Amino acid sequence: MRNTPSIRFFYLSILTMVLTACNNGGSSDSVNQANSAEVDLTSQVLVNKTAYIPSQCYTRTIDAQGQAHNPCYTCHVPSGEPNYINDGDLQLGYTFAEYAKTNHWSNLFEDRSDRVAAISDAEILDYLRHNNYQDEQGRLILTQKLQQLPAEWDFNANGQWDGYLPDAYFRFDAQGFDTDPDGNPTGWRALAYAPFPGTFWPTNGSTDDVLIRLPQVLRQDANEVYDGLVYQVNLAIVEAMIKRQDVTLAQAYQEQGVDLDKDGNAFGIARVVRYDWAPNEGRNMSYVGMGASAQQAGTLHLAAGLFPEGTEFLHSVRYIDLDEADEIQLAPRMKELRYARKTGWMTYSQIQDFMLNEIKEKDDFPDRLKEVIGNLEYGVSNRLGWRYQGFIEDADGALRPQTHEENVFCVGCHGGIGATADSIFSFPRKFASDAYQAGWYHWSQKGLRGQPEPLRSDGRYEYSYYLAQNHAGDEFRANQEVMSRFFDVNGNLSAAQTEQLHSDMAHLLYPSRERALILNKAYRVIVMDQDFIHGRDASVTPPVNVHAQVEEDQPTGIVEIVTGP
């Protein structure tokens, strides 16, 4: 279902650091973490042994009338190289290990109505408008705390933080580049993208943003000096390689031995990065500046569908704020700060061999659970060259490191489904170079209002197609606001509403003021309980369309595999 990790990834065998949780004998429903003081951040004991399977995997796809709804196709798709997961078949059935047949996301079954009602609108607005990432002087609160590391955050007891030290200031220039208080570039660049269908629409609980940073060598000219134009060109090259299409340069670039536009002149003026990569046919592409030298030396790699090693992503997940006109905007308060770094390179053949081994492992040991290596400082590995790490609110709203189990939550989606490009969702969905600022901007600079609905590769409108396939605006079909707006009483999709959606995606993606505040309050209750290990879905009452238990190979009712975006 939505964000489901491929069954081929359920059983990754990591030889070191086997999680002792698998032998603790407890159930996910027996542990309740009342507040942040009771959360053992350094523990590697898993309460939910399949924390890598998102709650959306347990969506009840067949309704009371016997009609099948398909939100599954957004994640589980027939995929091409180098994503060899090719998991479109997971649209057809719940293929889980024995332990995973029980839905361990017990927060889904909690009724928060009374507690949500006790939180006033003024209280939640005051809360979400408090910046828990930066103080009034612009200093990074979390970074300062990590530099004076609390003992309870120090996994290896070495007196220092060994993980990602937040260094983005969310101060963006006209090209989307982040700068520190002195105006120096941090290397981070904001990208504008079409939110992934379902859970990550603001109408379903959160606002968010994404920043990318390429390794230092791709930010330098041939003399190893930072060069903003060189960096822009290398980002355009990465975009061309991930999307496998031409990318127009916002600023003309004087080529220096790299024929970017493939016009036969490696020393002319380039205004476009021409995608033309077929190494088996002698057609290659190259980075520019120091990146070209590193590529030639074999210390940096380039291939279609893959990011260069050293690539980083920063993803803040936030509450839903409203401006004076009740228009949706990013809240200053972060729910989470998620970080990813590509630490190693795998070739196409290595990725394919890895996948074939996982398929064999699944066939040989169908009930073996995935073992994930990592800790709160390092994060967790997805075994495909990436590590993922996050920070989340404590009971009082300050950001803290995620526990190991809370980090394991990331692994299923990032690297375990067919819909991603090199384990990443957002970048392939970046707005094209004909968009505002060529798609390089932060939502604080321009929101989604007035942005046309994205198109699928087959030319159909993507979000309208999702509504037609799922007959709802979220996986659990619990978003009644979207249902009442876009469907009539007989469940037919409204042509008038989708027509408006075509020219303005916010017409679907933005919730009303009332819904935004309710979602904020529901999540605040989860934060106060500090029981993220039991689920993070911002629901007030238990959603009806979710399984508490599934049977072996239980069919979803979907009979035709649908291709993804």
Side-chain angles (χ1 to χ4, degrees), residues 29-52:
D29 297 335
S30 65
V31 177
N32 218 344
Q33 298 170 324
N35 55 59
S36 58
E38 296 179 2
V39 178
D40 182 359
L41 298 184
T42 61
S43 174
Q44 292 178 284
V45 173
L46 289 189
V47 174
N48 177 2
K49 303 170 191 177
T50 50
Y52 49 85

Side-chain angles (χ1 to χ4, degrees), residues 186-497:
T186 63
W188 290 109
R189 194 180 195 188
L191 60 110
Y193 53 93
F196 198 79
T199 292
F200 277 99
W201 288 346
T203 186
N204 290 324
S206 302
T207 57
D208 64 346
D209 55 15
V210 175
L211 282 61
I212 185 175
R213 180 164 63 186
L214 298 184
Q216 185 177 30
V217 68
L218 289 175
R219 296 177 249 153
Q220 298 176 329
D221 64 17
N223 297 314
E224 300 185 56
V225 177
Y226 176 85
D227 188 311
L229 182 54
V230 166
Y231 190 17
Q232 288 183 57
V233 172
N234 280 326
L235 280 164
I237 293 168
V238 170
E239 183 176 353
M241 298 305 293
I242 293 296
K243 294 184 175 180
R244 305 179 201 224
Q245 63 187 36
D246 298 348
V247 174
T248 302
L249 295 173
Q251 183 177 348
Y253 178 73
Q254 174 66 52
E255 298 179 276
Q256 300 175 5
V258 176
D259 188 5
L260 288 174
D261 54 12
K262 302 289 185 177
D263 68 349
N265 185 358
F267 294 92
I269 299 295
R271 292 179 172 82
V272 65
V273 174
R274 191 76 63 196
Y275 176 73
D276 183 27
W277 185 81
N280 291 336
E281 300 173 16
R283 305 199 312 274
N284 292 286
M285 296 177 66
S286 172
Y287 301 116
V288 299
M290 277 302 297
S293 300
Q295 184 180 342
Q296 292 168 7
T299 57
L300 189 71
H301 298 86
L302 179 149
L306 297 176
F307 292 94
E309 53 266 64
T311 299
E312 299 168 278
F313 282 93
L314 198 62
H315 176 204
S316 79
V317 182
R318 302 169 184 251
Y319 288 84
I320 309 169
D321 198 4
L322 303 117
D323 65 15
E324 294 180 355
D326 283 343
E327 183 77 346
I328 299 302
Q329 61 183 9
L330 292 176
R333 178 174 294 279
M334 293 183 184
K335 294 179 175 180
E336 301 178 44
L337 183 64
R338 300 175 177 180
Y339 173 77
R341 179 182 178 86
K342 188 167 184 177
T343 58
W345 181 261
M346 294 177 70
T347 64
Y348 279 24
S349 60
Q350 288 172 327
I351 297 171
Q352 187 174 38
D353 287 347
F354 177 81
M355 286 306 310
L356 291 173
N357 287 334
E358 294 311 310
I359 293 171
K360 182 178 187 302
E361 180 87 0
K362 163 63 179 172
D363 289 341
D364 292 346
F365 305 99
D367 288 325
R368 181 175 291 177
L369 302 181
K370 181 193 297 188
E371 298 166 354
V372 183
I373 189 171
N375 57 66
L376 83 159
E377 291 193 54
Y378 175 82
V380 292
S381 169
N382 74 349
R383 291 292 306 278
L384 288 169
W386 291 85
R387 69 177 176 95
Y388 291 86
Q389 179 187 355
F391 303 91
I392 200 164
E393 288 180 280
D394 67 16
D396 297 321
L399 291 173
R400 63 161 174 82
Q402 289 196 146
T403 66
H404 179 61
E405 181 165 352
E406 290 164 349
N407 281 328
V408 170
F409 173 79
C410 307
V411 173
C413 301
H414 291 285
I417 61 174
T420 58
D422 198 5
S423 306
I424 299 297
F425 286 91
S426 58
F427 196 83
R429 302 178 62 82
K430 175 188 169 295
F431 293 156
S433 47
D434 61 352
Y436 175 75
Q437 288 188 190
W440 293 109
Y441 62 91
H442 188 252
W443 300 131
S444 60
Q445 298 175 299
K446 182 181 183 299
L448 287 169
R449 179 65 69 189
Q451 180 66 36
E453 180 182 4
L455 298 176
R456 291 165 44 91
S457 57
D458 58 12
R460 287 183 278 192
Y461 287 101
E462 181 185 11
Y463 295 159
S464 299
Y465 187 80
Y466 176 83
L467 293 174
Q469 289 292 320
N470 190 30
H471 307 284
D474 66 310
E475 294 81 2
F476 297 138
R477 306 192 299 286
N479 188 331
Q480 293 302 315
E481 186 168 274
V482 167
M483 297 278 281
S484 62
R485 181 186 301 169
F486 283 88
F487 297 88
D488 64 21
V489 293
N490 296 316
N492 299 312
L493 189 58
S494 167
Q497 294 297 320

